[in-house]
Amino acid sequence: MSTLVLVGAQWGDEGKGKIVDCLAEAADMVVRYQGGANAGHTVVVKGREYKLHLVPSGLLNHKVCVIGNGVVVDPAQLLSEMDRLAAEGFDVGRLYLSDCAHVILPYHKRLDAVEEDRRGDRKIGTTGRGIGPAYRDKFSRTGIRMADLLDAAVFREQLAAHLEQVNTFLERVYDQEPLHFAEVLESYIGYAERLRPHVTDTSLLVNRAIDAGQRVLFEGAQGTLLDIDHGTYPYVTSSSPTAGGACIGAGVGPTRIGRVIGVAKAYATRVGDGPFPTEIEGAEGDWLRERGREYGTTTGRPRRCGWLDLVALRYAARVNGLSGLALTKLDTLGGLDRVRVCVAYECDGRRLEEWPHNTALLARCRPVYVDLPGWSEDVGGVRRLEDLPVAARDYVTFVEEHAGLSMSIISVGPDRDQTILRGSLF
Ligand code: IMP
């Protein structure tokens, strides 16, 4: 089967955008299956940087791109990305949007902000893009889907009913200004007309492409440890970035998935709150943040930085059924005397080899590190594994052995060609 799911194996920001961009070269179709504009992909093509939130980065490779039913779509954000790409000469006519995808409305963003504010010191650190409230509406069966948005009469009726409820809540509970029905209606009807040519039954589109033997790449946003079921709940996003989410969020059956590749940075980062056992406080963490330019694509927030966590990576391998690993930003680690890798945790006097689901317990876990020799050479020009400095190669081998995964891709710099590819992936 020529299908491949690419998932984040950590807390998001693993550099998936660049890996998707490399793989999209060989793919016929690229499909986003969950999340929304909370995601941020930075892709560098020929030295030029593109920041995408909703549009799959495969569009930069002139591929057919799909935003699946599992995504929550902010139409204004999507249109602004499409406009920018069109102005740069990319063909946005190749972008399709599921008629079952849920629509983010202005009240989702308002609620995201006020609810986060009310959490006080129990903040999740959301991106403020309305993701949680939009998925909540979806599961409470009060959401509005693209198909509804395209039908003006249906949309008007649904919006009126829902806005009345939301406004009562905003005014009475949160002491906020209400939203104006006519304003929201008018702007969203405008978005609907512009998006109409792109909206279709994308499950049919994707399944037909698979039937025709085309290579389909499913692109997950965020990462395994932010998954609503498998992540560090409640410090998670509201969707399923894990590989199973690709089936639900794209409308394909599990029997149609060929391979699953996890993307992990050679170290670890996290934005937002929640436990992070290998977090490095102080100068070394700051050094890693600056060297790796670890600032959020979507919010600009500084990312928390830490060492690679193999307990977490083994967990990601298990819950995603990973067939292989893409290791990114190996170049960032260059210049350190020693590189630390977490192989187990210690908690309450016990050694843990497996990821604990109890978030409070995870927050008490202390990493058990193995220190490996560092390397000082610049690896940005390396294109074959055997040409890496011995210490960098040993690092890669150590990760492979302890995660029980083989390395399919190693990224040694932000540019498309700064990549070590091991065999064909599709
Ligand atoms: P939300 O997805 O905006 O609701 O945020 C929930 C949590 O997921 C917060 O900790 C965010 O920082 C985190 N998050 C959401 N999207 C991303 C992403 O693309 N990369 C990294 N973290 C993310």
Side-chain angles (χ1 to χ4, degrees), residues 310 313-314 317 325 398-405:
L310 293 175
L313 198 54
R314 285 196 298 268
L325 195 67
F398 187 92
V399 174
E400 284 186 315
E401 282 172 2
H402 284 77
L405 290 167

Side-chain angles (χ1 to χ4, degrees), residues 74-94:
D74 179 341
Q77 171 70 36
L78 178 59
L79 285 164
S80 98
E81 278 179 45
M82 287 166 67
D83 288 346
R84 241 178 302 136
L85 289 169
E88 299 245 4
F90 293 100
D91 177 10
V92 293
R94 295 165 180 272

Side-chain angles (χ1 to χ4, degrees), residues 8 22 37 53 90 131 144 173 191 217 225 228 235 237 248 258 271 282 314 349 364 366 408 411 426:
C22 291
H53 299 281
F90 293 100
I131 307 298
I144 296 178
V173 178
Y191 302 146
L217 173 62
L225 304 175
I228 186 79
Y235 303 100
T237 192
I248 295 164
V271 282
R314 285 196 298 268
R364 293 198 303 278
R366 295 287 158 259
S408 309
S411 171
F426 277 100

Side-chain angles (χ1 to χ4, degrees), residues 11 13 38-40 124-127 131 222 226 236-237 271-272 301:
W11 279 284
D13 307 319
N38 50 351
I124 292 168
T126 73
T127 58
I131 307 298
Q222 290 86 43
L226 289 175
V236 291
T237 192
V271 282
R301 289 181 288 181

Side-chain angles (χ1 to χ4, degrees), residues 144-193:
I144 296 178
R145 305 196 294 177
M146 282 311 302
D148 308 321
L149 178 65
L150 295 191
D151 186 328
V154 170
F155 178 58
R156 167 184 275 277
E157 194 184 314
Q158 288 183 346
L159 182 69
H162 206 46
L163 205 55
E164 193 186 323
Q165 236 181 19
V166 172
N167 276 340
T168 309
F169 215 66
L170 280 175
E171 287 180 290
R172 301 220 184 128
V173 178
Y174 292 128
D175 202 18
Q176 293 271 315
E177 290 292 309
L179 288 155
H180 296 289
F181 172 73
E183 262 173 40
V184 180
L185 183 71
E186 193 192 346
S187 54
Y188 274 69
I189 296 275
Y191 302 146
E193 284 325 303

